Amino acid sequence: MRTRLLVLDMDGTIADTDLLLVLSWLELYRRHAPEKKPSLSRIMEFSGPPIRDSLAEEFPDKDPDLLVKEFSEISGSLYEKWVSTYPGCLDALRKFKEKGVLLAVLTNKRQDLAEKVVRILGMEGLFSLVLGGGSVPPKPDPTGLLEVFSRLGVAPEEGFYMGDTEFDILAARNAGVPSILADWGPRRLPKGLSPDLRVSSYQELVEVLDA
């Protein structure tokens, strides 16, 4: 069956925000827990889950709502300088669009930040829909993914959802949407995670979906 819709996660999938994430968290540790010495692997675990949950877990004695605001201010000042896309991403997405595949983004990132990243990466006009956090429950809840497919008029089995974390794969599974694991980041994935497809580059993604 021809792929009609490719939905992508943002951080770690189309946008390389790892350095931005690390810098933002290090600043929060400096301000609120200078005694902590987090490992890189620990910080990378915060890419995927809702940011409020991660902040509440790491700084339990602080107001999580204020921390979310602070994190947004810190990271927001770093986007223009530190966000980039992955090799081959733009070319691959343009090829899919030229072939009539609909493209969309579903991310737990705030809507305004998601739209900002699309602009920074020069991806305006590529996506039929960008759906950020706030209006739908965070992944792995399937509501957002099902809404994307519904709004674009595509059946769940006629597309794919691609992401780099267990939350993405579980969201796809919960929605009945075939999943693709973007297997190029530093995330530690749980054993037994079984995406329908696994790719290590955008070139491989093009080859797999064109097969």
Side-chain angles (χ1 to χ4, degrees):
M1 181 181 295
R2 185 175 71 89
T3 301
R4 294 186 57 202
L5 171 61
L6 175 61
V7 187
L8 302 105
D9 172 49
M10 181 162 277
D11 294 348
T13 303
I14 61 174
D16 186 348
T17 55
D18 288 346
L19 183 55
L20 181 151
L21 178 75
V22 171
L23 293 173
S24 300
W25 275 92
L26 288 178
E27 178 60 18
L28 284 178
Y29 285 118
R30 185 189 70 78
R31 296 181 185 184
H32 301 297
E35 75 283 357
K36 286 192 175 184
K37 292 181 171 54
S39 65
L40 177 60
S41 61
R42 173 60 176 165
I43 293 178
M44 296 318 301
E45 290 176 3
F46 303 141
S47 177
I51 186 63
R52 190 182 189 280
D53 294 348
S54 298
L55 289 167
E57 177 184 352
E58 201 67 2
F59 306 104
D61 58 334
K62 304 293 182 180
D63 184 332
D65 292 325
L66 292 178
L67 284 173
V68 169
K69 182 180 179 181
E70 191 173 0
F71 180 87
S72 297
E73 291 171 351
I74 295 169
S75 62
S77 68
L78 300 172
Y79 272 88
E80 294 282 354
K81 183 173 183 179
W82 295 113
V83 173
S84 61
T85 191
Y86 291 95
C89 176
L90 267 172
D91 287 342
L93 296 185
R94 286 170 179 156
K95 286 179 182 177
F96 288 131
K97 190 173 179 66
E98 289 170 1
K99 293 182 178 182
V101 178
L102 295 172
L103 300 172
V105 171
L106 174 67
T107 173
N108 283 342
K109 185 186 292 297
R110 248 177 34 216
Q111 183 71 33
D112 61 323
L113 284 179
E115 294 172 357
K116 179 178 182 177
V117 171
V118 168
R119 176 183 59 78
I120 291 172
L121 296 180
M123 293 182 170
E124 302 100 321
L126 274 178
F127 301 110
S128 300
L129 177 62
V130 176
L131 187 60
S135 60
V136 292
K139 299 171 289 185
D141 188 290
T143 303
L145 191 53
L146 289 171
E147 180 170 334
V148 171
F149 275 79
S150 175
R151 285 170 62 173
L152 296 180
V154 178
E157 65 272 13
E158 293 181 305
F160 286 93
Y161 183 48
M162 185 168 94
D164 65 308
T165 72
E166 63 180 295
F167 302 95
D168 302 315
I169 304 307
L170 292 175
R173 183 182 303 166
N174 293 337
V177 173
S179 61
I180 303 174
L181 178 65
D183 193 16
W184 52 64
R187 254 60 74 189
R188 292 188 300 180
L189 301 175
K191 293 181 179 179
L193 190 68
S194 53
D196 294 286
L197 296 172
R198 185 186 297 255
V199 296
S200 58
S201 67
Y202 271 95
Q203 180 180 349
E204 185 178 359
L205 177 67
V206 171
E207 294 170 353
V208 167
L209 293 192
D210 278 351

